[in-house]
Amino acid sequence: MLSLKKKYTWLVTGGAGFIGSNLCNFLIKKNQKVICVDNLFTGKKENIIHIKNLKNFKFIKKDIRKLNYSKTFENIDYVVHLAALGSVSRSIKNPRETNSVNVDGSLNVLKLCNLINVKKFIFASSSSVYGNLKKEFKVEKDKTIPISPYGISKLTFEKYTRILIEKYQFRAVGLRFFNVFGPNQNENGSYAAVIPNWCNKILNNKIIELNGDGSTSRDFTHVENVIDGILKSCFFKQKNKFEIFNLACGKEISLNTLLKNIIKISGKKPKILKKPFREGDIKRSKAAIKKAKYYLNYKVKINFETGIKKYINGIVK
Ligand SMILES: NC(=O)c1ccc[n+]([C@@H]2O[C@H](COP(=O)([O-])OP(=O)(O)OC[C@H]3O[C@@H](n4cnc5c(N)ncnc54)[C@H](O)[C@@H]3O)[C@@H](O)[C@H]2O)c1
């Protein structure tokens, strides 16, 4: 993990969510100053409970669409913009809501970054921008053909940033995350990601749902790899105004393999309810991570097998 020798001020949007809270907790451990903006739509105060009263940490409950300039935001060095409405299914049900937060809200954060003139703007994009591209590894320069409103919203903001950043003084990096998992991830509700959802149900002897035949694959990535990638993208020497990087493990894990791993680690035998393949879901997903390795010195520190063990052992205790 990158060591942070200097003290910087960070703005983390979506900082009470899964990835955001892992980032805030890490930054505070490294003696950084953090301002977290989150409207707690899917995020939880419990995720930041251990840091919320610390002097170096400030929580602002606010919708990113209503974020305006104020003195609080002066002297911010790095902005990591993670606030968004996730979930492909949610976006199919309510595309306007997803667009409003992920595009309009993100544009508002970018506008604020320009007003306060930050050092760098890092934002979360997604593997969903590639859609069902028929290629083994998804490379950053590949065609982007999203197949869900969520994917469209992420790609649209990438495109806006590419254009708008040319007029700004600072640089921007878009990070295409591929199915991140780890502590503080939402495990309940119909929009929960497969790993927290299955692990929680299996450990509590509940029936799990399997969409499709189990051959659907994802490049599951432990959140510690992602935090490392976020930090490295802040500090690498960036020539171009805008760069895109895939952040993942570069391995394809099918749902069947995921299930086998959970069963082996937990020692449980779950009941499975088979359901049809979900609309808007990508069938196969694997990232090429060469670009991040080359420019960011990004390394997969926790592979899938170690990560899933760490995650399950963490929720059992
Ligand atoms: N987790 C993954 O596998 C994954 C994969 C690809 C991309 N991403 C992206 O990474 C980012 C973080 O994802 P996550 O998994 O931590 O999701 P999350 O839902 O746990 O976190 C998102 C946070 O944003 C907040 N938020 C939502 N709408 C907001 C608004 N209008 N104003 C202020 N805050 C708002 C939520 O309350 C939540 O705390 C998102 O941009 C997501 O699209 C995640």
Side-chain angles (χ1 to χ4, degrees):
M1 196 65 80
L2 195 80
S3 65
L4 283 163
K5 291 193 184 102
K6 245 178 108 176
K7 189 167 183 166
Y8 294 106
T9 304
W10 301 72
L11 171 62
V12 180
T13 73
F18 157 47
I19 301 173
S21 63
N22 278 281
L23 177 64
C24 289
N25 284 302
F26 177 83
L27 290 171
I28 290 296
K29 251 190 230 153
K30 298 285 167 192
N31 199 28
Q32 302 291 300
K33 193 175 167 199
V34 180
I35 300 171
C36 162
V37 171
D38 198 302
N39 67 352
L40 300 180
F41 186 73
T42 52
K44 294 181 206 147
K45 273 213 161 157
E46 298 98 90
N47 290 343
I48 46 170
I49 192 110
H50 301 297
I51 54 174
K52 83 175 196 326
N53 295 323
L54 298 180
K55 178 167 113 280
N56 276 356
F57 184 77
K58 187 180 174 70
F59 174 74
I60 302 171
K61 184 168 183 258
K62 186 115 193 151
D63 192 308
I64 49 164
R65 290 166 292 187
K66 299 195 175 121
L67 205 58
N68 290 316
Y69 169 82
S70 82
K71 275 204 152 181
T72 317
F73 300 120
E74 273 178 9
N75 304 318
I76 283 173
D77 297 299
Y78 295 98
V79 174
V80 184
H81 171 48
L82 301 168
L85 286 186
S87 164
V88 163
S89 340
R90 189 205 315 272
S91 78
I92 291 171
K93 257 198 192 143
N94 199 340
R96 288 177 64 174
E97 188 195 25
T98 295
N99 187 77
S100 165
V101 176
N102 297 5
V103 180
D104 294 345
S106 296
L107 283 170
N108 199 33
V109 176
L110 185 56
K111 181 177 128 197
L112 176 70
C113 290
N114 186 37
L115 288 173
I116 57 178
N117 196 21
V118 296
K119 285 192 168 68
K120 216 184 252 195
F121 173 66
I122 312 292
F123 68 93
S125 185
S126 160
S127 56
S128 61
V129 300
Y130 295 111
N132 271 328
L133 192 71
K134 300 273 177 293
K135 257 187 102 209
E136 198 196 350
F137 286 97
K138 315 262 163 99
V139 182
E140 289 85 345
K141 60 177 192 298
D142 279 339
K143 258 194 198 159
T144 43
I145 323 159
I147 57 166
S148 67
Y150 171 71
I152 293 173
S153 74
K154 289 290 176 182
L155 182 61
T156 304
F157 185 62
E158 280 187 9
K159 290 185 174 181
Y160 268 122
T161 308
R162 188 181 291 284
I163 292 168
L164 295 173
I165 204 72
E166 289 301 327
K167 293 190 274 163
Y168 300 161
Q169 297 297 311
F170 55 97
R171 286 172 165 65
V173 176
L175 298 172
R176 290 178 180 163
F177 301 155
F178 280 65
N179 295 80
V180 190
F181 69 97
N184 296 353
Q185 194 168 18
N186 242 332
E187 58 204 23
N188 298 315
S190 50
Y191 300 134
V194 63
I195 292 189
N197 183 274
W198 278 6
C199 289
N200 184 261
K201 286 193 172 138
I202 291 174
L203 290 169
N204 290 298
N205 305 311
K206 289 186 184 156
I207 300 173
I208 61 158
E209 289 179 4
L210 171 65
N211 296 101
D213 62 0
S215 65
T216 304
S217 69
R218 292 290 180 266
D219 195 334
F220 293 112
T221 310
H222 192 270
V223 69
E224 281 182 38
N225 296 324
V226 168
I227 301 301
D228 193 39
I230 292 174
L231 296 177
K232 283 178 172 163
S233 58
C234 292
F235 299 113
F236 86 107
K237 268 211 168 153
Q238 188 175 341
K239 213 174 96 206
N240 299 324
K241 286 301 285 280
F242 181 56
E243 286 289 358
I244 287 282
F245 293 101
N246 288 339
L247 277 193
C249 282
K251 291 263 152 50
E252 194 176 357
I253 309 288
S254 72
L255 291 179
N256 287 330
T257 305
L258 168 65
L259 191 55
K260 269 190 208 148
N261 273 270
I262 304 176
I263 291 172
K264 197 172 144 202
I265 300 161
S266 66
K268 302 262 186 182
K269 272 202 179 136
K271 280 206 179 108
I272 303 163
L273 178 65
K274 295 214 168 169
K275 292 205 129 184
F277 190 80
R278 268 191 328 197
E279 187 190 4
D281 262 356
I282 290 163
K283 299 228 160 61
R284 295 182 66 187
S285 184
K286 177 158 70 168
I289 51 172
K290 259 190 179 166
K291 187 178 174 192
K293 280 183 170 173
Y294 183 80
Y295 287 100
L296 306 181
N297 192 26
Y298 168 75
K299 291 186 180 93
V300 177
K301 300 219 164 128
I302 302 188
N303 65 19
F304 167 72
E305 288 77 14
T306 312
I308 193 77
K309 236 183 249 161
K310 194 172 165 147
Y311 174 66
I312 295 175
N313 291 337
I315 54 175
V316 164
K317 68 170 167 62

